[in-house]
Amino acid sequence: MSEQILTLSQLGWRPYFQQQLTLDDLTDLQTGRVIEQHRSSIIVLSEQGQASLLPPSGDDRVCVGDWVLFDENLRIQRVLDRQSLFDRKAPGSKVATQLIAANVDSVMIVCSLNNDFNLSRIERYLAIAKEAEVEPVVVLTKADLCDDADDKQDQVQKLNRMMSVYSVNALDSNDLVALHSYCKNGQTIAFLGSSGVGKSTLVNGLLGFEAQETGDIREDDSKGRHTTTYRALKLMPQGGLLMDTPGMRELQLSDCEQGVSATFSEITDLAYNCRFGDCTHTSEPGCAVLKAVESGVLEERRLVSYQKLMREQAINGASLAEQRAKDKAFGKMVHGAIADARSRKKGYESAAY
C-alpha cells in the first residue's frame, strides 16, 4: 500500500470530513488517514504518499482509520471528528477506554463454527457495532470443518432476520466472493472476533496475498494462537480498505446501553408492556418479558445474555464516569493552583515595585 498513491476518495474521504476543514487547513496543512499504529510511530497515507508522523500534542488520541491534519514538520495538528468509533474498556482493571477503529463503514464479526461458536459472544460484538451505528456483518468461518454449519448459521440469523450472515471456508476464494460487495472503492471494513477464529486467514483471502501469518489450532479447546500484533489498514483488490485488529481477549462494554438495547430490540419492545417502568425482568409481577419467556415467545438464553450485558455496561460506564469526574476535579484544582500562584507572583512584583 505504501507504493501506491491514492486519492482521498479512495482512502474513504467523505463530505462529513470535508466540512470540518477551514481555509487555513486547506492551505497550511496536509490531510491523511492513519493506516498503521505502532507504539512509537503513526503511519498515515495521503495524496502525497506515506509518512510517519509524530503523535499529536495535548489530549488527542489517534487510532487506525482516523483522519488527521499534519504540518510540514510531520506533527499531527488535529484529529478530525470521527464518523464512527469502536472502543472498549481497557483490558485489566484500569478505568480507561481503548480506541479500536475509527471511520468504519461495515464491521465483520468473525466467529468460527468449531468449538469456539458462541451466540452470546456474537451478541456482545453486535452491541458494540450498534452503539457505533456501523453495519454489522456476521462471518462464520471454518464451515468446511463443521457438520452442522447450516443449523448454526440459522441460529445466528435468528438474532436479527435483517442482518447479513455468511458461512464460509476462508481458504476457498469462491466462498469469499459474497463478501466483495462490502469491499468496494472507498469503503472501510473492520474485523472483530476473538483469537483463533480465522480472522487472519480471512484477511489473506480478501487481500489475495499472505498479509498476516496464521496460527495453528490447539486440539484441546479449538483455540488459535494469536498472530496479529498491531492494527493496520490495507488496500483490497476490490478497491476497499480492510482494517485488521488483534483479537480482543478482554472485550468489555462501556457506555453501550443503546447498543445493547438495539441488539435485543424484541426485549426492549416487550419491556414497554411491563407493569413497572423500572422492571428488571427477574421476578416482578406483571413482567411482559418473563411472560414471553414462559410462553416460548422469547428464548431464556436471550434474556440472560441481555441482562448480563446490561449489567456489564452499567458497571463499566459508571466506573468511567467516576474517573472522568475525578480527572475533571483534578484539572480544576491544578488550574486553580496555577492561577493562585500567578496572582501571588503579581502581588509580590507590585509590592517590590
Side-chain angles (χ1 to χ4, degrees), residues 10-21:
Q10 289 174 307
L11 289 171
W13 188 252
R14 301 279 191 276
Y16 176 83
F17 307 113
Q18 182 71 35
Q19 66 186 12
Q20 298 181 45
L21 302 183

Side-chain angles (χ1 to χ4, degrees), residues 255-273:
D255 293 331
C256 198
E257 182 175 356
Q258 291 183 354
V260 176
S261 296
T263 300
F264 298 87
S265 58
E266 77 275 33
I267 296 178
T268 303
D269 292 340
L270 285 168
Y272 286 115
N273 297 318

Side-chain angles (χ1 to χ4, degrees), residues 13-192:
W13 188 252
R14 301 279 191 276
Y16 176 83
F17 307 113
Q18 182 71 35
Q19 66 186 12
Q20 298 181 45
L21 302 183
T22 66
L23 183 59
D24 288 340
D25 291 335
L26 293 170
T27 56
D28 299 339
L29 301 174
Q30 293 187 49
T31 303
R33 194 171 190 192
V34 178
I35 62 169
E36 290 184 19
Q37 183 181 15
H38 305 276
R39 291 184 178 180
S40 59
S41 63
I42 296 170
I43 310 299
V44 302
L45 198 63
S46 69
E47 290 183 325
Q48 288 71 42
Q50 182 171 303
S52 179
L53 305 183
L54 297 171
S57 57
D59 297 329
D60 279 347
R61 293 190 294 166
V62 178
C63 67
V64 172
D66 269 330
W67 284 98
V68 299
L69 302 177
F70 59 98
D71 59 26
E72 58 185 9
N73 297 318
L74 302 182
R75 167 77 68 176
I76 294 176
Q77 294 298 319
R78 183 155 62 93
V79 181
L80 296 186
D81 292 344
R82 303 169 176 112
Q83 194 164 27
S84 66
L85 174 67
F86 290 98
D87 60 7
R88 67 166 183 174
K89 183 177 181 295
S93 59
K94 292 189 299 182
V95 183
T97 55
Q98 179 182 26
L99 306 185
I100 300 174
N103 303 315
V104 173
D105 297 300
S106 303
V107 57
M108 293 193 175
I109 298 170
V110 187
C111 180
S112 65
L113 288 165
N114 59 10
N115 294 341
D116 191 60
F117 180 77
N118 188 308
L119 289 174
S120 296
R121 185 180 296 121
I122 293 174
E123 289 167 338
R124 181 185 297 268
Y125 283 110
L126 286 174
I128 293 176
K130 293 288 187 180
E131 186 72 19
E133 298 185 351
V134 174
E135 177 188 19
V137 180
V138 178
V139 182
L140 304 173
T141 60
K142 306 178 184 178
D144 55 314
L145 304 177
C146 180
D147 295 329
D148 58 347
D150 290 341
D151 176 64
K152 288 180 177 176
Q153 180 173 346
D154 187 57
Q155 291 180 46
V156 176
Q157 191 68 73
K158 287 180 179 178
L159 300 180
N160 186 335
R161 288 298 182 183
M162 302 300 294
M163 180 174 61
S164 296
V165 183
Y166 300 92
S167 179
V168 304
N169 171 8
L171 295 172
D172 188 339
S173 58
N174 293 324
D175 276 14
L176 301 186
V177 172
L179 303 180
H180 288 180
S181 61
Y182 303 97
C183 309
K184 296 179 180 179
N185 187 53
Q187 296 293 305
T188 301
I189 63 173
F191 289 80
L192 296 177

Side-chain angles (χ1 to χ4, degrees), residues 187-254:
Q187 296 293 305
T188 301
I189 63 173
F191 289 80
L192 296 177
S194 56
S195 297
V197 297
K199 292 195 307 299
S200 293
T201 302
L202 195 59
V203 165
N204 292 337
L206 290 174
L207 289 174
F209 63 91
E210 295 292 319
Q212 294 289 348
E213 294 182 2
T214 56
D216 296 329
I217 299 296
R218 299 194 298 263
E219 294 183 2
D220 58 342
D221 60 2
S222 296
K223 298 291 184 180
R225 296 179 176 85
H226 183 60
T227 54
T228 308
T229 57
Y230 65 93
R231 298 183 176 90
L233 198 61
K234 303 180 178 71
L235 181 66
M236 293 180 285
Q238 300 80 16
L241 297 159
L242 181 152
M243 188 180 299
D244 189 27
T245 61
M248 287 172 262
R249 299 177 183 272
E250 296 184 52
L251 184 65
Q252 297 184 33
L253 306 183
S254 59

